[in-house]
């Protein structure tokens, strides 16, 4: 490694995932000199181990479930045959189709200098990587996160799966124990159950503990209907490898214990920021545990170094990393004091039914405001949901008495898609009356949003006072 500074870009981006690629592409196209450093696969966790492979797997599982449930429409199929190698091939093909957009070739074509190596800060304004020294005006750390492996006795002595390895499994899974009932655990548990595996899901709290309990209830029923055994309020205390299987020792919160025998174990208990080995101490960057401490503008304790995405310890979502990238670009390139607004961040658990949320929960909202109202409507009130035989859903709107929308939760078919207009409404400060006044095509699932908004205003519209006004107006010539 040479001691000579060889590269002096305007911005050095460390990490080629969603956030890092957003910054690198945007900055380069706006005329900045950019160096991008990535030691692993371009595209990061989302493309290679997360969003894309998991949703590809879920699509395959949904197809199998559709065939099995076609009888409710008066159509029958023979039991679907699952070709697990074919499913793995489908996932690989989807990844391969998207990969060119995130490739080294594309970014070099944009004028970005790409270095395929680990980056290490050697000073407050200097990084070493690939046998070069990079001294940049600004740095953006976008190193993402990795699966957190809990300190369960015996786990280090047995083979186990994470989201980084499960998509490469090509043989049938006989019995999968999923440790963790968050979004990753729920999605993969349901997918594997629909593809023929016996599944036991273990969660030390309750299913999807960060989501609204009223909405989670619909997901819980769906998982049970898929044959998944749910062990909520239960911890894994020890794992042992026996001849040809794994023994998972469980303890419920009430003290009861049992042992489950499984063929595979999936660990899905959360994520941990990737910050080890970056030399952040030499750069004067403070940490909060493993995560990088940032302010609302995503600046670290070194004002010339920004951090975005999972490595900051915030919501570990691809779209959040991309959003962070946009905030950083406005700060660095346009010198605007752009800040992250956590109240507009949406998230979706892609179970069936999907569970989507944006904004404040009713509990959080009541802690901030005194005039919080909640309006909700079951999907059985939607005619399109009835035609599709998918009425198991609920929309829940949290708002103030003046109609300001604070948060929206939806559980039901295509909930992630149905959330889009609510994301716009909250981000732009629109009132509920805007949603109530929309003209939407019939019959569509999107009408559920217009109807729940209209229901909020109905008591006032059809009140005695308004009725009296109408009677008076009718007397006029």
């Amino acid at each position: 490694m040479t001691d000579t500074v060889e590269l002096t870009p305007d911005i050095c981006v460390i990490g080629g995932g969603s956030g890092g690629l957003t910054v690198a592409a945007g900055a380069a196209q706006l005329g900045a000199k950019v160096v991008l450093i990535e030691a692993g696969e371009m595209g990061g966790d989302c493309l290679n181990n997360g969003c894309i492979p998991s949703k590809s797997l879920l699509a395959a599982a949904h197809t199998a479930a559709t065939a099995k449930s076609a009888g409710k429409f008066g159509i029958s199929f023979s039991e679907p045959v699952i070709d697990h190698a074919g499913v793995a091939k489908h996932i690989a093909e989807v990844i391969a189709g998207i990969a060119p957009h995130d490739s080294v070739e594309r970014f070099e074509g944009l004028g970005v200098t790409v270095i395929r190596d680990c980056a290490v800060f050697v000073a407050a304004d200097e990084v070493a990587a690939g046998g070069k020294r990079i001294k940049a005006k600004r740095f953006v750390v976008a190193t993402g996160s990795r699966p957190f492996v809990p300190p369960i006795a015996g786990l280090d002595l047995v083979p186990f799966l994470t989201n980084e390895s499960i998509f490469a499994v090509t043989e049938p899974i006989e019995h999968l124990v999923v440790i963790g009932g968050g979004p990753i655990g729920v999605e993969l548990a349901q997918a594997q159950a629909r593809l023929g595996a016996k599944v036991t899901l273990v969660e030390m709290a309750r299913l999807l503990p960060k989501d609204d309990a009223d909405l989670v209830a619909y997901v819980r029923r769906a998982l049970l209907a898929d044959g998944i055994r749910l062990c909520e309020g239960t911890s894994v205390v020890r794992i042992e490898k026996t001849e040809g299987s794994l023994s998972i020792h469980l303890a419920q919160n009430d003290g009861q214990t049992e042992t489950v025998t499984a063929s595979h174990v999936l660990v899905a208990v959360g994520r941990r920021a990737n910050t080890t080995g970056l030399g952040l101490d030499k750069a004067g960057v403070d940490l909060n545990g493993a995560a990088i401490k940032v302010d609302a503008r995503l600046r670290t304790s070194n004002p010339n170094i920004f951090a975005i995405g999972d490595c900051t310890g915030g919501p570990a979502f691809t779209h959040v990393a991309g959003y962070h990238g946009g905030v950083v670009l406005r700060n660095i390139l346009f010198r605007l004091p752009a800040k992250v607004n956590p109240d507009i961040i949406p998230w979706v658990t892609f179970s069936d039914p999907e569970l989507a949320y944006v904004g404040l929960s009713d509990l959080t909202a009541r802690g901030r405001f005194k005039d919080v109202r909640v309006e909700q409507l079951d999907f059985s009130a939607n005619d399109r949901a009835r035609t599709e035989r998918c009425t198991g859903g609920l929309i829940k709107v949290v708002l103030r008495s003046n109609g300001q929308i604070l948060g929206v939760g939806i559980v039901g078919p295509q909930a992630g898609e149905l959330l889009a207009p609510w994301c716009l409404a909250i981000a732009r400060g629109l009132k509920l009356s805007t949603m109530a006044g929309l003209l939407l095509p019939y019959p569509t699932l999107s009408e559920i949003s217009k109807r729940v908004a209209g229901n909020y205003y109905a008591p006032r519209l059809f009140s005695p006072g308004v009725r009296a006004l109408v009677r008076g107006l009718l007397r006029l010539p």
Side-chain angles (χ1 to χ4, degrees):
M1 182 183 293
T2 177
D3 292 330
T4 304
V5 174
E6 297 188 24
L7 299 174
T8 56
D10 299 302
I11 303 173
C12 177
V13 180
I14 304 173
S18 174
L21 296 183
T22 296
V23 174
Q29 291 176 97
L30 287 168
K33 292 172 58 180
V34 180
V35 169
L36 171 65
I37 305 173
E38 172 56 63
E41 295 293 331
M42 292 286 284
D45 185 75
C46 177
L47 174 61
N48 300 289
N49 313 114
C51 313
I52 300 305
S54 67
K55 278 47 182 183
S56 301
L57 180 69
L58 289 171
H62 178 73
T63 301
T66 299
K68 292 177 182 178
S69 63
K72 62 187 177 183
F73 296 105
I75 300 171
S76 61
F77 291 98
S78 58
E79 186 71 15
V81 177
I82 309 300
D83 175 3
H84 293 271
V87 172
K89 180 183 177 183
H90 152 67
I91 295 171
E93 288 176 347
V94 173
I95 294 173
I98 297 174
H101 184 266
D102 295 344
S103 66
V104 171
E105 292 76 15
R106 173 175 179 256
F107 279 81
E108 289 180 338
L110 293 174
V112 177
T113 299
V114 181
I115 299 176
R116 303 305 303 277
D117 195 11
C118 295
V120 180
F121 279 96
V122 294
D125 61 349
E126 199 170 319
V127 157
K132 296 181 173 61
R133 302 287 280 260
I134 301 96
K135 188 168 185 177
K137 295 178 181 178
R138 300 286 188 275
F139 290 87
V140 179
V141 181
T143 49
S145 63
R146 62 186 184 278
F148 173 67
V149 179
I152 298 172
L155 183 60
D156 58 335
L157 302 176
V158 302
F160 63 89
L161 301 168
T162 68
N163 73 289
E164 293 183 348
S165 57
I166 192 170
F167 303 111
V169 176
T170 57
E171 73 276 4
I173 294 177
E174 182 181 347
H175 183 186
L176 176 68
V177 169
V178 179
I179 305 175
I184 295 175
V186 165
E187 291 178 7
L188 294 180
Q190 189 175 43
Q192 292 299 335
R194 290 180 163 188
L195 292 173
K198 178 181 178 182
V199 177
T200 300
L201 189 152
V202 182
E203 166 56 47
M204 64 185 305
R206 69 160 173 83
L207 194 70
L208 298 169
K210 296 182 179 180
D211 287 294
D212 187 298
D214 292 338
L215 306 180
V216 172
Y218 289 81
V219 178
R220 181 183 291 106
R221 286 196 289 270
L223 297 183
L224 292 171
D226 281 324
I228 298 172
R229 183 188 174 199
L230 300 179
C231 300
E232 299 180 74
T234 303
S235 301
V236 178
V237 295
R238 190 171 77 259
I239 300 179
E240 296 174 325
K241 186 175 183 180
T242 55
E243 188 173 345
S245 63
L246 300 171
S247 294
I248 299 93
H249 300 274
L250 308 179
Q252 297 178 17
N253 292 347
D254 61 7
Q256 296 185 56
T257 62
E258 70 168 300
T259 299
V260 174
T261 301
S263 59
H264 296 74
V265 170
L266 169 68
V267 176
V269 295
R271 311 282 298 176
R272 184 176 180 84
N274 287 327
T275 54
T276 303
L278 285 173
L280 294 173
D281 55 333
K282 293 184 179 179
V285 174
D286 294 338
L287 298 177
N288 182 12
I292 299 174
K293 292 177 66 174
V294 293
D295 63 13
R297 293 172 61 183
L298 300 171
R299 298 174 299 184
T300 70
S301 50
N302 181 332
N304 294 321
I305 300 176
F306 293 75
I308 63 176
D310 294 11
C311 68
T312 65
F317 302 123
T318 298
H319 54 278
V320 172
Y323 169 53
H324 282 184
V327 170
V328 163
L329 284 173
R330 294 197 294 277
N331 273 275
I332 294 177
L333 299 182
F334 298 102
R335 304 301 174 94
L336 298 172
K339 297 180 180 180
V340 171
N341 180 1
D343 293 345
I344 66 170
I345 292 176
W347 66 94
V348 182
T349 297
F350 292 92
S351 50
D352 182 10
E354 293 180 3
L355 194 160
Y357 216 97
V358 63
L360 306 181
S361 67
D362 54 348
L363 182 63
T364 302
R366 293 183 197 283
R368 294 193 194 180
F369 307 102
K370 296 181 179 179
D371 59 338
V372 172
R373 306 285 188 273
V374 176
E375 189 70 38
Q376 61 186 47
L377 185 64
D378 192 275
F379 269 59
S380 61
N382 181 269
D383 290 351
R384 181 59 181 273
R386 286 185 172 276
T387 69
E388 300 283 345
R389 300 294 294 272
C390 56
T391 55
L394 179 73
I395 182 170
K396 194 172 185 180
V397 181
V398 181
L399 66 156
R400 300 185 68 183
S401 57
N402 64 356
Q404 178 188 355
I405 306 167
L406 301 175
V408 178
I410 308 174
V411 61
Q414 301 182 47
E417 309 296 337
L418 295 176
L419 196 68
W422 296 105
C423 293
L424 175 64
I426 290 176
R428 295 293 179 263
L430 303 179
K431 297 291 183 68
L432 190 64
S433 56
T434 302
M435 192 68 70
L438 283 177
L439 175 61
L440 297 173
Y442 173 89
T444 57
L445 292 174
S446 60
E447 286 185 295
I448 195 81
S449 296
K450 173 182 172 67
R451 184 162 179 181
V452 74
N455 285 356
Y456 177 73
Y457 293 105
R460 276 175 273 185
L461 177 62
F462 301 113
S463 66
V466 175
R467 289 168 61 89
L469 174 62
V470 170
R471 287 196 301 269
L473 293 172
L474 288 173
R475 294 191 189 100
L476 297 176

